[in-house]
Amino acid sequence: MLPALPDGEEREPESSEEAGGAGEERRPERHGSTYHSLYGYRGCRSPQGAASGDGSPSSAAAETPSTEDFSIPENKIGCYYCHFQQENLLEMATLESDMNAPEYVVCFLGGSEKGLELFRLELDKYIQSLKINLALEQKTLETYVNPYLRSWFENAICPIQRVVQLFQEKLAFLLHAALSYTPVEVKNADERTEKDISRFLAAASLQGLVQEETMTSLCIAMTEEQHKSMIIDCGGPQPQLHNAGSNRFCEDWMHAFLNGAEGGNPFLFQQILENFKLKAIQDINNLKRFIRQAEMNHYALFKCYMFLKNCGSGDILLKIVKVEHAEMPEARNVVTVLEEFMRETSVA
């Protein structure tokens, strides 16, 4: 870990054993100043099993840059850093080689003190592309690496905010599609907008929070049930949605997003999204508990029904538990009765 982070002063590697790297000048953002830096270095690898004078194993080393070279922001901001090796060169490295493959440290500074912690997975993915394409040749730095690092905040942090601002009240339909695993097709959108929508749908879904088998079965069930995807047409000033669905749960959370839009804080949107998924998981777990009780208690069956009726997302929750309980006869019978109750209520 570097003891301090540069604010964008460009530095070139001076020798194979000296720390070096390249960065960009600081770039003012709507959300406050952001910073990035990239350091590359090489270290000599001692023969395997060799030890230093004090008896401890030796390792590749690089000089620590002087803190006098850095400019540290006065206010507290978030920090993300990642140490990695270039993947295609790492595969070519051999144990017999007396030189290590180039190693790098990339650092991002920006946002609130704890804000970047919410985007760790997104930033990890952002670095993955850099790992594949990175090389220290100046041409590559100028044509790919520098522009890529310069846009880290807009590309990794701001997509959810842009989707909220684009969809406004129609965001409820997008939340419903993500929660129910409804297939979505985007038409007439530029590349960034299409990626933003895909990113939002993935971030708002319960992927990773429910069993993989459940998610796969639910996707199949939703596709077979609806026989068509939700269509998002971005050809006009506002996106037009076709075959879209919603419920009270998603509409309530849509208002939470719009209320947060007044401050224009991308970290707040991410936190709201995490809370949205947490509440959905809590509701699923509560319904499962009620179903287990209802297998032996008719009053608990009534509690299941009332819960589904009042939670605002009964349509989605019932589909999820139906998939998960497909191989459990007693629970499946409870779900069948609940489906009949909900169907009769909707008709009435």
Side-chain angles (χ1 to χ4, degrees), residues 217-234:
S217 299
L218 188 60
C219 289
I220 296 174
M222 292 301 295
T223 303
E224 292 177 348
E225 178 179 323
Q226 297 185 2
H227 300 292
K228 48 189 174 183
S229 304
M230 184 179 85
I231 307 297
I232 302 176
D233 189 347
C234 297

Side-chain angles (χ1 to χ4, degrees), residues 74-310:
E74 295 181 358
N75 57 316
K76 293 182 178 180
I77 58 178
C79 171
Y80 169 92
Y81 66 92
C82 179
H83 167 256
F84 62 93
Q85 289 180 295
Q86 190 178 344
E87 290 192 347
N88 56 341
L89 291 183
L90 183 61
E91 295 175 357
M92 299 169 57
T94 61
L95 293 177
E96 291 77 13
S97 175
D98 60 353
M99 289 296 295
N100 289 337
E103 297 185 49
Y104 304 93
V105 174
V106 64
C107 299
F108 295 139
L109 293 176
S112 61
E113 184 178 4
K114 299 291 185 180
L116 293 187
E117 293 181 4
L118 298 171
F119 289 88
R120 182 172 179 177
L121 293 178
E122 287 77 8
L123 291 171
D124 287 345
K125 293 178 182 178
Y126 198 72
I127 296 300
Q128 187 64 30
S129 178
L130 185 68
K131 292 170 62 176
I132 296 173
N133 295 284
L134 182 63
L136 277 181
E137 288 80 2
Q138 188 64 33
K139 182 179 179 181
T140 305
L141 286 173
E142 294 176 354
T143 60
Y144 175 78
V145 177
N146 284 345
Y148 189 80
L149 291 177
R150 190 184 303 119
S151 59
W152 74 270
F153 197 87
E154 288 294 320
N155 290 340
I157 306 300
C158 294
I160 293 175
Q161 181 183 33
R162 289 195 293 265
V163 169
V164 173
Q165 294 171 340
L166 176 64
F167 281 82
Q168 297 292 314
E169 288 81 5
K170 295 178 181 178
L171 191 71
F173 300 110
L174 212 57
L175 291 170
H176 188 272
L179 204 59
S180 61
Y181 299 94
T182 299
V184 175
E185 182 179 351
V186 181
K187 295 183 176 180
N188 302 317
D190 58 76
E191 183 179 1
R192 189 177 81 164
T193 299
E194 188 169 357
K195 286 183 178 179
D196 285 352
I197 294 173
S198 176
R199 159 87 176 273
F200 184 92
L201 290 169
S205 75
L206 300 183
Q207 185 174 3
L209 300 179
V210 298
Q211 295 180 0
E212 189 69 25
E213 297 81 2
T214 298
M215 184 183 66
T216 302
S217 299
L218 188 60
C219 289
I220 296 174
M222 292 301 295
T223 303
E224 292 177 348
E225 178 179 323
Q226 297 185 2
H227 300 292
K228 48 189 174 183
S229 304
M230 184 179 85
I231 307 297
I232 302 176
D233 189 347
C234 297
Q238 294 293 326
Q240 300 298 316
L241 279 64
H242 308 280
N243 309 324
S246 185
N247 56 29
R248 181 162 46 84
F249 180 82
C250 294
E251 290 169 0
D252 290 343
W253 281 97
M254 173 268 293
H255 289 295
F257 278 99
L258 295 187
N259 291 338
E262 297 177 359
N265 184 345
F267 304 103
L268 177 60
F269 293 123
Q270 183 75 4
Q271 187 62 66
I272 294 174
L273 199 58
E274 294 299 322
N275 293 341
F276 164 80
K277 296 193 292 184
L278 178 61
K279 184 62 170 76
I281 287 295
Q282 289 175 341
D283 286 349
I284 291 173
N285 291 335
N286 284 333
L287 180 58
K288 290 179 182 178
R289 178 166 53 86
F290 291 145
I291 289 176
R292 287 195 299 268
Q293 296 172 358
E295 293 175 5
M296 300 174 292
N297 187 318
H298 289 292
Y299 177 70
L301 179 62
F302 178 73
K303 287 173 62 178
C304 283
Y305 167 70
M306 294 303 298
F307 177 80
L308 287 171
K309 185 177 179 181
N310 296 326

Side-chain angles (χ1 to χ4, degrees), residues 10 16 37 44 85 91 122 156 191 210 256 267 319-320 339:
E10 191 167 302
S16 63
S37 64
C44 290
Q85 289 180 295
E91 295 175 357
E122 287 77 8
E191 183 179 1
V210 298
F267 304 103
K319 289 183 174 66
I320 292 176
E339 283 183 314

